[in-house]
Amino acid sequence: MDTDYHSINHQELSRPVIIGDHVWIGCKSTILKGVTIGDGSVIAANSVVTKDVPPKALVGGIPSKIIKKDIEWE
């Protein structure tokens, strides 16, 4: 979801989530509003993605962190 469905102090309700090409998102992961996932990235299962993910990165954890860069997967 890219929204909170309600505003607090008239703040913006939504910001788009952008998911690049050839991205693998593991089961039960949460991607917060306004985050961009770069092409070729992998999001580990059960991760909470709070910040942008660069292309070809493996991220995981709560909150997610870069585990490995310059990955390639098929």
Side-chain angles (χ1 to χ4, degrees), residues 9-66:
N9 294 332
H10 308 288
Q11 291 181 349
E12 187 177 337
L13 291 175
S14 65
R15 290 182 297 182
V17 172
I18 299 169
I19 300 173
D21 293 330
H22 196 64
V23 171
W24 178 1
I25 300 174
C27 184
K28 297 184 182 180
S29 293
T30 301
I31 301 170
L32 299 185
K33 67 181 184 177
V35 170
T36 298
I37 308 295
D39 294 343
S41 293
V42 175
I43 311 300
N46 296 308
S47 297
V48 177
V49 184
T50 60
K51 297 178 183 176
D52 290 350
V53 176
K56 295 185 175 184
L58 168 62
V59 299
I62 304 173
S64 65
K65 295 181 181 176
I66 295 175

